[in-house]
Amino acid sequence: DERARPSGPSEMMAAIPPIRRFAWALVDEQVATIGADACVFALDPTGNHVHVAHATPRLRGAVDPLQLPVGHTISGWVVANRSTIRNADPTLDFGDLATRLALRWCTSTPVFVHGDLVGALAVYLTRATPFSEEEARLVADLGQEIGLMLARANDGMGGVADRGIAAIDDVAPSLPA
């Protein structure tokens, strides 16, 4: 029985619902501690765009349909260069929407699973002061934790993500929510 391989990192981020829900709750909780909003961007199967895999409640709906080109925008640059960028202008990600949402600063960091780039975590502030060193570290640590959670889930299911989404669907219902 041949199983289809995941079409890309975006499927890896979406494939493990119980772990994904926990990861997104962790993002919401942690960014709230600094009064921020966030988006987790997943790399699409072509590697040409990132799309919103998760957004904190205030951004949800407004940013969900967006796709950002890799190599352009803040988070697209982060994915292309596999490097964190701190205190950038959020209009580079969202254009006029950033102004309507009163976003003033963005720190974005790559998310890796077993060394493979799967997307980026972008955190946005509305306050006048930019991210401090400590807050920038929190963003970087949170990006790493998201990747570790996805990796642990994949490993805990015997690496089924490597065998395809159908295999994950067979195992995921037995995992705690």
Side-chain angles (χ1 to χ4, degrees):
D1 177 31
E2 286 243 354
R3 304 239 186 214
R5 291 190 52 77
S7 64
S10 135
E11 281 193 14
M12 177 61 189
M13 279 191 157
I16 310 162
I19 301 302
R20 187 182 70 226
R21 281 193 303 270
F22 183 70
W24 299 169
L26 179 66
V27 168
D28 292 355
E29 176 186 293
Q30 290 298 303
V31 301
T33 66
I34 60 170
D37 293 296
C39 289
V40 178
F41 292 100
L43 187 60
D44 78 1
T46 68
N48 294 325
H49 292 89
V50 293
H51 69 271
V52 177
H54 172 74
T56 51
R58 196 174 81 80
L59 300 182
R60 233 174 256 147
V63 300
D64 288 347
L66 297 178
Q67 286 195 28
L68 307 178
V70 170
H72 304 281
T73 75
I74 299 164
S75 297
W77 184 93
V78 164
V79 167
N81 293 282
R82 299 170 171 250
S83 182
T84 299
I85 190 167
R86 184 175 129 196
N87 291 324
D89 180 350
T91 61
L92 297 171
D93 267 354
F94 299 141
D96 291 339
L97 179 59
T99 304
R100 288 195 303 274
L101 293 168
L103 304 176
R104 299 185 68 178
W105 301 101
C106 174
T107 292
S108 185
T109 194
V111 176
F112 297 94
V113 173
H114 292 303
D116 294 324
L117 182 70
V118 298
L121 167 66
V123 180
Y124 304 93
L125 293 174
T126 57
R127 67 176 191 231
T129 55
F131 287 84
S132 67
E133 281 293 326
E134 183 178 328
E135 290 167 333
R137 272 193 304 278
L138 173 103
V139 173
D141 291 348
L142 187 55
Q144 288 179 355
E145 189 59 35
I146 293 166
L148 289 170
M149 291 166 85
L150 294 171
R152 283 186 205 119
N154 184 46
D155 295 347
M157 293 189 301
V160 295
D162 298 331
R163 295 196 319 256
I165 298 308
I168 291 170
D169 291 340
D170 293 343
V171 178
S174 67
L175 296 174

